[in-house]
Each structure stands twice: as structure tokens, then as C-alpha cells.
Amino acid sequence: MTTCPVCNSRDMTVKRGSTLSGPLLSENLRVTDRSYGSTALLYRCRSCRFVFADPEEVHTVVRLYTDLVDLDYEATAKTRRRQMDALVDSIFAYRPQVKTLLDVGAGIGLMLEAARARGLAAHGVEPSKWMVDTARAREIEGMHEGTIPHPSLAMSVFDAVTIVDVIEHVEDPVGLLLAAADYLDANGILVLVTPDVGSLPARILGKRWWHYRPAHIGYFDKKSLTHAAEEAGLAVVCRTRASWWFPVGYVAERVTTFFPALRLVHHKLTGSRFYGRTVRLNLFDSWLMLLEKQ
């Protein structure tokens, strides 16, 4: 019988059936994948409201991440870095004396780059070999290939741990938070960013919500995310909405997924100076939570 990964309840309902056309592949897990509305079979826990994918459909996810390649993600690294700068600002706002940082699911090292620019000693753990190699080619130090707990970081503790758009990709979110908390100093702070399935955009768009994607196998709302944090011995310091920075052209291309009639306009403007500008995007459908040990 299926059990909720957050609260262990067996009282659940089917939220939506599978829309996957076949088994998950590593390319389905790209950060820049645009298969909006496509997911495995999703259950909704009646107790804590956590929404999660059928374990039988997604049990290979961690292994698939080792082969992940995402060239479009690397191409938008400059603008995506601005989100990491903003998150580092948030860390300093609540922990001015922070000196060390661990980024879980570090991608191509953008958080490490932002943290080191502010004088922090930073390490990152990332399962994708391509992303780790890309970070190293960008001369970003402190990358470790794999997942946490990582043998290279045994006995290490950090003033800050960041988990940015990662927890929705794992089968055991509480286990991830517990492992991350083990790396956290007693007075440290954990930064967590993840989509909010209870948000207004998620409810309005329904099955077409852009965070319904093959790579996302767990969806939190305020209640379930708070419950998961408490299960890991963490308390909420601050809860707000997350922002991203993207080139206008990147955003416009994504919009055509929902409004195909705009493709001609998008094609005509591609390459224009306007499309090269950077825009801050906050759709109020992702949580940014700062947590500390209870």
C-alpha cells in the first residue's frame, strides 16, 4: 500500500493520472524542460496534503540524474546567477556572521559562485556528472559529484545549507531535509526553495501548471512543507515567495507553450536587443523558506 513520504499516512486519493508517454529518461529531468502539465500518477495525502508521484513510476529518478545534460541551462547561467545572489543576500540578512555554505543539488555551481563572491567558503553536491564537469570547467571549486550524505564531507558542518528547487525532485523529502540538517551548524540557517502546489497560479492553471513536469515528483503546499520541516527538526524563520531572473527571450519562448498564437511574434523578435534584457520573475507560486534547527 502506498504511504505518504512526509507524514506516513495511508489515507490518500489520486490527484491526477499519469500523462507520461513512456518511462522517464534523463532528458526529461532537464531544468529547462518545457513538458508543462506532464507528470507521473500523482497521489494527494488527505492528512498533510503532500502531492507525490507513484513510486513505481519514478524509482529510477536519482540514477537518471547522473546522466543529465542541459545545455540550455548553461546558456542562461548569467541571469540565473542573479537568483543565487539574492538568496545569499537573504542568508546574510538573517545570519550576518555566516562564513561557510553547502549547496545541495548544486547544478553547474551558480550558488557556489555567488557565495564565494561574498567571501564564503562554499561546497556543492550534485549528482549530474555533466553539471559537475561544467562547474569545474568554469573554474568553480568545491564541487562534489553525488548526493548527500557525501563521503567527502564527512564530519563537516556549515553555517548555511541551500536546497534550491531540489526537494521536488526526490522520493524522500524528509530524508533529504534530515541529511541537510546534519550538515547544519547549531546556529545555522537552511534555505529552501520549491513550488507551491497550493498557490493561486497552480489552482487556476490546473493540469497545465508549469511546475507539473516529469522531473517533479513531490509537490508541497504551506501545510505539507511545514510538516516536512518539523519532521526533520527544523523550524521556520521566514516564509516568502521566490524570484528568478531570465532573459526576456527565454520567458517569451516559454509563454508560447501556453499561447501558440504568439509564436510568430516571438520569432520576429528573436535576437532583438529587447529580448536580450533580463527580467525578474515572481509568479507567487514557489516558496522561499529560511529554516533553523529547533
Side-chain angles (χ1 to χ4, degrees):
M1 181 179 292
T2 303
T3 302
C4 175
V6 169
C7 70
N8 294 316
S9 171
R10 294 184 177 181
D11 183 13
M12 62 197 64
T13 184
V14 173
K15 181 173 177 61
R16 59 176 299 185
S18 175
T19 57
L20 299 180
S21 58
L24 281 175
L25 304 173
S26 60
E27 52 261 38
N28 298 135
L29 309 181
R30 291 177 296 186
V31 178
T32 56
D33 176 76
R34 55 189 300 172
S35 301
Y36 306 138
S38 181
T39 70
L41 168 66
L42 296 180
Y43 293 103
R44 180 180 182 274
C45 176
R46 295 181 190 270
S47 179
C48 74
R49 300 204 299 252
F50 183 56
V51 175
F52 61 99
D54 177 11
E56 292 298 318
E57 284 195 85
V58 299
H59 68 279
T60 61
V61 165
V62 172
R63 178 179 59 81
L64 291 175
Y65 273 108
T66 63
D67 298 323
L68 176 64
V69 175
D70 193 345
L71 298 176
D72 289 340
Y73 180 75
E74 182 184 10
T76 55
K78 183 177 180 180
T79 51
R80 291 178 185 275
R81 159 71 190 275
R82 293 183 63 174
Q83 181 196 18
M84 306 308 170
D85 289 329
L87 293 174
V88 172
D89 287 342
S90 297
I91 292 171
F92 274 103
Y94 284 88
R95 294 293 189 275
Q97 304 305 315
V98 64
K99 297 184 183 302
T100 58
L101 179 145
L102 172 65
D103 188 30
V104 179
I108 60 174
L110 300 182
M111 177 61 79
L112 271 65
E113 194 174 43
R116 288 175 179 269
R118 297 290 298 275
L120 301 183
H123 289 262
V125 178
E126 168 57 47
S128 164
K129 182 181 186 304
W130 174 83
M131 286 193 167
V132 172
D133 289 344
T134 299
R136 291 171 177 166
R138 299 175 67 240
E139 299 184 346
I140 296 175
E141 299 178 354
M143 291 290 292
H144 305 271
E145 185 178 341
T147 58
I148 58 169
H150 196 283
S152 296
L153 299 173
M155 308 302 291
S156 298
V157 292
F158 298 86
D159 299 324
V161 176
T162 52
I163 308 176
V164 181
D165 290 322
V166 171
I167 197 169
E168 64 270 21
H169 299 265
V170 303
E171 290 185 80
D172 181 10
V174 174
L176 175 65
L177 290 175
L178 282 166
D182 282 344
Y183 286 110
L184 196 62
D185 181 80
N187 297 312
I189 194 162
L190 189 150
V191 178
L192 181 65
V193 176
T194 192
D196 176 14
V197 74
S199 66
L200 183 61
R203 287 181 277 127
I204 290 175
L205 288 170
K207 294 181 179 180
R208 298 193 68 202
W209 186 40
W210 39 74
H211 286 300
Y212 283 138
R213 295 162 52 191
H216 293 178
I217 61 176
Y219 298 87
F220 292 92
D221 65 3
K222 181 179 178 180
K223 178 180 179 179
S224 56
L225 190 54
T226 302
H227 189 107
E230 291 173 348
E231 286 291 315
L234 299 166
V236 178
V237 175
C238 173
R239 182 188 293 110
T240 186
R241 294 298 186 180
S243 294
W244 293 262
W245 282 258
F246 296 112
V248 171
Y250 181 90
V251 176
E253 180 188 15
R254 301 292 153 145
V255 169
T256 62
T257 301
F258 297 92
F259 304 102
L262 296 177
R263 287 174 183 168
L264 180 59
V265 176
H266 167 63
H267 179 72
K268 288 183 176 180
L269 291 176
T270 298
S272 69
R273 182 179 300 178
F274 172 70
Y275 261 33
R277 293 180 179 176
T278 298
V279 60
R280 179 181 178 180
L281 194 64
N282 185 343
L283 300 172
F284 299 93
D285 66 343
S286 282
W287 289 116
L288 164 55
M289 295 178 66
L290 303 182
L291 307 166
E292 64 184 6
K293 287 187 175 181
Q294 293 180 348

